[in-house]
mmCIF file with all atom_site columns, all heavy atoms in Angstrom:
data_model
loop_
_atom_site.group_PDB
_atom_site.id
_atom_site.type_symbol
_atom_site.label_atom_id
_atom_site.label_alt_id
_atom_site.label_comp_id
_atom_site.label_asym_id
_atom_site.label_entity_id
_atom_site.label_seq_id
_atom_site.pdbx_PDB_ins_code
_atom_site.Cartn_x
_atom_site.Cartn_y
_atom_site.Cartn_z
_atom_site.occupancy
_atom_site.B_iso_or_equiv
_atom_site.pdbx_formal_charge
_atom_site.auth_seq_id
_atom_site.auth_comp_id
_atom_site.auth_asym_id
_atom_site.auth_atom_id
_atom_site.pdbx_PDB_model_num
ATOM 1  N N   . PRO A 1 41 ? -138.472 -29.168 -24.662 1.00 78.00 ? 269 PRO A N   1
ATOM 2  C CA  . PRO A 1 41 ? -138.117 -28.773 -23.291 1.00 78.00 ? 269 PRO A CA  1
ATOM 3  C C   . PRO A 1 41 ? -139.075 -29.392 -22.278 1.00 78.00 ? 269 PRO A C   1
ATOM 4  O O   . PRO A 1 41 ? -140.145 -29.889 -22.629 1.00 78.00 ? 269 PRO A O   1
ATOM 5  C CB  . PRO A 1 41 ? -138.262 -27.238 -23.317 1.00 78.00 ? 269 PRO A CB  1
ATOM 6  C CG  . PRO A 1 41 ? -138.308 -26.857 -24.758 1.00 78.00 ? 269 PRO A CG  1
ATOM 7  C CD  . PRO A 1 41 ? -138.889 -28.023 -25.475 1.00 78.00 ? 269 PRO A CD  1
ATOM 8  N N   . CYS A 1 42 ? -138.703 -29.308 -21.015 1.00 78.00 ? 270 CYS A N   1
ATOM 9  C CA  . CYS A 1 42 ? -139.512 -29.884 -19.929 1.00 78.00 ? 270 CYS A CA  1
ATOM 10 C C   . CYS A 1 42 ? -140.572 -28.861 -19.507 1.00 78.00 ? 270 CYS A C   1
ATOM 11 O O   . CYS A 1 42 ? -140.331 -27.993 -18.666 1.00 78.00 ? 270 CYS A O   1
ATOM 12 C CB  . CYS A 1 42 ? -138.617 -30.245 -18.749 1.00 78.00 ? 270 CYS A CB  1
ATOM 13 S SG  . CYS A 1 42 ? -139.521 -31.071 -17.413 1.00 78.00 ? 270 CYS A SG  1
ATOM 14 N N   . LYS A 1 43 ? -141.761 -28.949 -20.084 1.00 74.00 ? 271 LYS A N   1
ATOM 15 C CA  . LYS A 1 43 ? -142.815 -27.962 -19.840 1.00 74.00 ? 271 LYS A CA  1
ATOM 16 C C   . LYS A 1 43 ? -143.314 -27.939 -18.389 1.00 74.00 ? 271 LYS A C   1
ATOM 17 O O   . LYS A 1 43 ? -143.667 -26.885 -17.877 1.00 74.00 ? 271 LYS A O   1
ATOM 18 C CB  . LYS A 1 43 ? -143.983 -28.201 -20.798 1.00 74.00 ? 271 LYS A CB  1
ATOM 19 C CG  . LYS A 1 43 ? -143.638 -27.876 -22.245 1.00 74.00 ? 271 LYS A CG  1
ATOM 20 C CD  . LYS A 1 43 ? -144.850 -28.031 -23.146 1.00 74.00 ? 271 LYS A CD  1
ATOM 21 C CE  . LYS A 1 43 ? -144.511 -27.673 -24.580 1.00 74.00 ? 271 LYS A CE  1
ATOM 22 N NZ  . LYS A 1 43 ? -145.670 -27.832 -25.481 1.00 74.00 ? 271 LYS A NZ  1
ATOM 23 N N   . PRO A 1 44 ? -143.385 -29.105 -17.687 1.00 72.00 ? 272 PRO A N   1
ATOM 24 C CA  . PRO A 1 44 ? -143.928 -29.057 -16.327 1.00 72.00 ? 272 PRO A CA  1
ATOM 25 C C   . PRO A 1 44 ? -143.146 -28.165 -15.363 1.00 72.00 ? 272 PRO A C   1
ATOM 26 O O   . PRO A 1 44 ? -143.678 -27.768 -14.334 1.00 72.00 ? 272 PRO A O   1
ATOM 27 C CB  . PRO A 1 44 ? -143.872 -30.528 -15.877 1.00 72.00 ? 272 PRO A CB  1
ATOM 28 C CG  . PRO A 1 44 ? -143.932 -31.308 -17.139 1.00 72.00 ? 272 PRO A CG  1
ATOM 29 C CD  . PRO A 1 44 ? -143.175 -30.496 -18.143 1.00 72.00 ? 272 PRO A CD  1
ATOM 30 N N   . THR A 1 45 ? -141.877 -27.848 -15.695 1.00 80.00 ? 273 THR A N   1
ATOM 31 C CA  . THR A 1 45 ? -141.087 -27.033 -14.756 1.00 80.00 ? 273 THR A CA  1
ATOM 32 C C   . THR A 1 45 ? -141.225 -25.534 -15.003 1.00 80.00 ? 273 THR A C   1
ATOM 33 O O   . THR A 1 45 ? -140.748 -24.737 -14.203 1.00 80.00 ? 273 THR A O   1
ATOM 34 C CB  . THR A 1 45 ? -139.590 -27.409 -14.853 1.00 80.00 ? 273 THR A CB  1
ATOM 35 O OG1 . THR A 1 45 ? -139.142 -27.211 -16.199 1.00 80.00 ? 273 THR A OG1 1
ATOM 36 C CG2 . THR A 1 45 ? -139.360 -28.856 -14.452 1.00 80.00 ? 273 THR A CG2 1
ATOM 37 N N   . VAL A 1 46 ? -141.887 -25.135 -16.096 1.00 82.00 ? 274 VAL A N   1
ATOM 38 C CA  . VAL A 1 46 ? -141.961 -23.712 -16.435 1.00 82.00 ? 274 VAL A CA  1
ATOM 39 C C   . VAL A 1 46 ? -142.662 -22.921 -15.332 1.00 82.00 ? 274 VAL A C   1
ATOM 40 O O   . VAL A 1 46 ? -142.197 -21.862 -14.903 1.00 82.00 ? 274 VAL A O   1
ATOM 41 C CB  . VAL A 1 46 ? -142.664 -23.496 -17.785 1.00 82.00 ? 274 VAL A CB  1
ATOM 42 C CG1 . VAL A 1 46 ? -142.865 -22.005 -18.052 1.00 82.00 ? 274 VAL A CG1 1
ATOM 43 C CG2 . VAL A 1 46 ? -141.840 -24.116 -18.911 1.00 82.00 ? 274 VAL A CG2 1
#
Side-chain angles (χ1 to χ4, degrees):
C270 184
K271 291 184 179 179
T273 58
V274 174

